[in-house]
Each structure stands twice: as C-alpha cells, then as structure tokens.
C-alpha cells in the first residue's frame, strides 16, 4: 500500500530488513483510529469480553503496519516478491485476525437500540443473504489476486500511490468478507455447514497453485515498469517474479492453516454442545418416563408408551446411542 521512490533505494540486505522504514501517515491514522475505536467500544461494553478476541484484532492491525511501514512497504514498489508478500498478508492474514476479533458483535453491543435493530435488519435482509452465498464469498477469496496480477491493475498500483491504497483496501475488504462469514464469531446473514468452508478452502488451494504456476511459467508482469527501474542489484526480473509466485502460492496456503484449524475447533465445539443437549434431553425423557411408570405401577407399559424422540427414529443415531450405552 506504500509506493516508495524505487529508483533511489539502496540494495535490499538483511540489515535493511530491520532498519528500513517509511512514513505512511494515512496508514498510521487508519490503524490508530480503528484500534482506538475497538478499545473504546470495549470500555463502553458491559460484561466480560474474551481477551483472545482483543489480541487477535490488535494483531490484525499490527500486521497492517508490518507490511506498510517496514521494509515490506519500502521495497513494495521495487521487488515483485516483496509486494506479493504484502498482498498475501492484506488478503488473508490481516482479515482473518480482524474477523477473529468479532468487531461486528462488539459494535452491536455498544450501539443504541434503534441502530442495533437496523443493523440486525440489514443482516437478515435478502440482499445480505445473497451476497454471502458460498459461491460469492469464494470469489471474494479466490478472485482478487488473479484480477490484480493478470490485468493492468498491478502495474497501475506500482505507478500510482492512490491506486495502490485502493487496491490494498479492496484486498482487506474482500478478505474480511470471507473470514467474517466463515468463522461465524460474529452474527452473519447465513449459517452454512462448516464442510462448505472446508470445500472453499480446497478451492482456494487450487486457485493459489494455478496463479503461482501462471506467474512462474508465464510472461513477465509489468515488464516496462521494472525495466525503467534499472535496479542493478538483487535477483533478475524473472527470478524476482518466480520468487513472488512462490510467495503467493505457498504463502497463501500457509496463511490458511490457522484458519482451517480455527474452523475445525469450532466444528468440534459445536458437536460437543449438540451432544450435551441430546444427552440432557435423553436424561430428562428417561427421568419423566421412570416417574410416570412408578406412579402408574406399570413399568413396561409406561416404557412402551414413552414417545420416541427424533434421534431415536433415526436408525444411525439410535444405533450409536445403543452402542454408547453398551446395548
């Protein structure tokens, strides 16, 4: 999101990875306002709030700074692989951390009742339901990078700071839209099965590989721009692009591993809660049947008269319950 004066940059070295910084007033202001708003809402909110959510949200803001004001932002207009790293973080890592912070729930908790009702109505609207359809959110994750790299937009982001900022914001918005609907820490318009999310993740892995191969084996991206730099140091333009292809391919998949882990954990927790509810209903039904049988003095008849619950009518669930009870 930060375009440096590439022609006057010194060679990139390991030392400069720790010492190269760039001023980004817009980024600093945006991060400061967002973080301040989140922490201010926490102070206004009644009741406890999971510390992990706060840390995740603030970590997302820190990740923005790491790819804009550090060496990543300094050399983003000079090295293809460096800008690839920036884009991967802005599309996957930052939005995932922000979504783990549950900002929509926090906002809902501190809004006045009238605004909260409007927010809920917008979330339940047909438009919101359609915009969060699995195919749509898949495109939010899969489409941005091919559109950026396989069209003239990429070179435009290199030559114009405003275009770079808008592209970076677009990556953030697309990524957040995806992770917000898939993690479901916040209320969302749809509640799709978690296996849909796993399927989308597999599609994203394939898309990352296709883009990586296209950049690795295909023509140079923005060759005129990089030729004008006349860098004179570092990898050649071709090797630089090959490294960047690997960053987009492997980096995107690695960044998705924590997300997949979070989804699997939520699946396990929901299964445990559902099992606890079923166990409680079974215990209550058995207790009621036993009390009725004792009162009537007809244990066997009362047991036969007990209405069957929905999972007892399902052969697979009934068999599993009998097996668990040693039947």
């Amino acid at each position: 999101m930060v375009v440096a004066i590439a022609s006057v940059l010194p060679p990139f070295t390991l030392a400069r990875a720790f010492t190269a910084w760039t001023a980004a007033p817009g980024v600093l202001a945006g991060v400061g306002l967002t973080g301040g708003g989140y922490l201010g809402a926490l102070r206004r909110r009644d009741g406890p709030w999971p510390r992990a959510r706060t840390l995740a949200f603030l970590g997302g803001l820190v990740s923005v700074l790491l790819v804009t004001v550090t060496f990543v932002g300094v050399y983003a207009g000079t090295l293809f692989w460096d800008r690839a790293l920036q884009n991967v973080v802005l599309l996957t890592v930052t939005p995932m951390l922000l979504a783990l912070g549950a900002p929509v729930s926090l906002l809902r908790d501190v809004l006045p009742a009238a605004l909260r009702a409007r927010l809920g109505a917008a979330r339940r609207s047909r438009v919101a339901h359609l915009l969060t359809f699995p195919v749509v959110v898949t495109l939010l994750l899969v489409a941005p990078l091919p559109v950026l790299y396989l069209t003239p937009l990429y070179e435009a982001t290199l030559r114009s700071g405003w275009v770079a900022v808008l592209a970076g914001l677009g990556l953030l918005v697309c990524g957040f839209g995806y992770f917000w609907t898939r993690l479901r820490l916040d209320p969302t318009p749809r509640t799709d099965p978690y296996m849909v999310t796993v399927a989308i993740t597999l599609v994203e892995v394939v898309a990352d590989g296709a883009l990586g191969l296209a950049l690795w084996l295909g023509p140079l991206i923005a060759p005129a721009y990089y030729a004008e730099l006349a860098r004179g140091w570092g990898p050649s333009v071709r090797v630089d692009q090959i490294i960047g292809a690997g960053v987009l391919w492997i980096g995107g998949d690695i960044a998705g591993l924590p997300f997949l882990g979070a989804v699997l954990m939520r699946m396990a927790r929901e299964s445990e809660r559902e099992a606890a509810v079923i166990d409680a209903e079974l215990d209550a039904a058995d207790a009621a049947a036993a009390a009725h049988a004792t009162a009537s003095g007809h244990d066997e008849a009362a047991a036969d008269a007990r209405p069957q619950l929905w999972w007892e009518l399902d052969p697979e669930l009934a068999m599993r319950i009998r097996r668990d009870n040693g039947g």
Side-chain angles (χ1 to χ4, degrees):
M1 294 171 66
V2 177
V3 179
I5 307 300
S7 58
V8 298
L9 288 178
F12 176 73
T13 62
L14 181 61
R16 285 194 60 79
F18 297 96
T19 59
W21 300 86
T22 183
V27 173
L28 293 173
V31 168
L33 290 173
T34 305
Y38 189 91
L39 296 176
L42 280 180
R43 286 193 292 268
R44 292 177 53 193
R45 183 183 182 277
D46 295 327
W49 182 259
R51 181 176 299 180
R53 293 185 179 183
T54 303
L55 294 177
F57 191 86
L58 296 180
L61 297 179
V62 170
S63 71
V64 174
L65 297 178
L66 290 177
V67 296
T68 53
V69 302
T70 66
F71 79 93
V72 181
V74 173
Y75 287 90
T78 305
L79 295 168
F80 186 97
W81 70 263
D82 185 271
R83 198 173 195 89
L85 175 61
Q86 184 184 70
N87 290 331
V88 166
V89 171
L90 292 177
L91 179 64
T92 58
V93 178
T94 300
M96 177 177 62
L97 291 173
L98 295 179
L100 285 171
V104 178
S105 294
L106 181 59
L107 177 64
R108 181 195 58 186
D109 291 345
V110 300
L111 282 177
L115 291 178
R116 190 183 309 129
R118 292 182 181 178
L119 181 64
R123 175 174 57 84
R124 293 187 295 270
S125 67
R126 182 173 178 81
V127 173
H129 196 261
L130 291 175
L131 289 178
T132 53
F133 189 71
V135 175
V136 176
V137 295
T138 301
L139 291 176
L140 287 179
L141 182 67
V142 172
L145 290 181
V147 169
L148 176 63
Y149 282 97
L150 303 181
T151 70
L153 178 59
Y154 179 73
E155 185 166 352
T157 63
L158 296 172
R159 297 186 181 275
S160 170
W162 282 109
V163 176
V165 169
L166 291 176
L169 289 174
L171 293 176
L172 278 173
V173 170
C174 289
F176 183 81
Y178 172 76
F179 289 108
W180 166 59
T181 59
R182 298 300 98 193
L183 287 170
R184 290 180 3 206
L185 289 175
D186 283 321
T188 58
R190 299 176 59 93
T191 306
D192 298 309
Y194 281 113
M195 290 309 298
V196 173
T197 299
V198 175
I200 294 175
T201 302
L202 296 177
V203 172
E204 188 263 342
V205 169
V206 174
D208 285 344
L211 178 61
L213 286 174
L215 296 177
W216 179 20
L217 303 175
L220 292 175
I221 306 299
Y225 172 83
Y226 287 112
E228 292 172 10
L229 292 181
R231 195 167 9 102
W233 53 265
S236 66
V237 175
R238 168 57 68 181
V239 173
D240 186 22
Q241 182 167 311
I242 291 175
I243 297 173
V247 171
L248 291 169
W249 185 349
I250 302 173
D253 293 341
I254 292 176
L257 291 178
F259 164 70
L260 190 58
V263 169
L264 294 177
M265 287 180 60
R266 288 188 62 80
M267 288 177 61
R269 289 173 182 172
E270 287 195 6
S271 296
E272 291 175 357
R273 287 196 294 267
E274 291 175 358
V277 170
I278 292 176
D279 288 343
E281 291 181 356
L282 277 172
D283 292 341
D286 289 342
H292 179 71
T294 301
S296 63
H298 302 288
D299 291 353
E300 184 176 352
D304 293 338
R306 179 175 67 83
Q308 288 186 300
L309 300 173
W310 64 267
W311 55 80
E312 294 176 313
L313 298 176
D314 185 288
E316 182 179 349
L317 289 176
M319 182 179 298
R320 185 185 304 175
I321 292 171
R322 286 196 299 269
R323 184 170 59 251
D324 293 342
N325 293 332

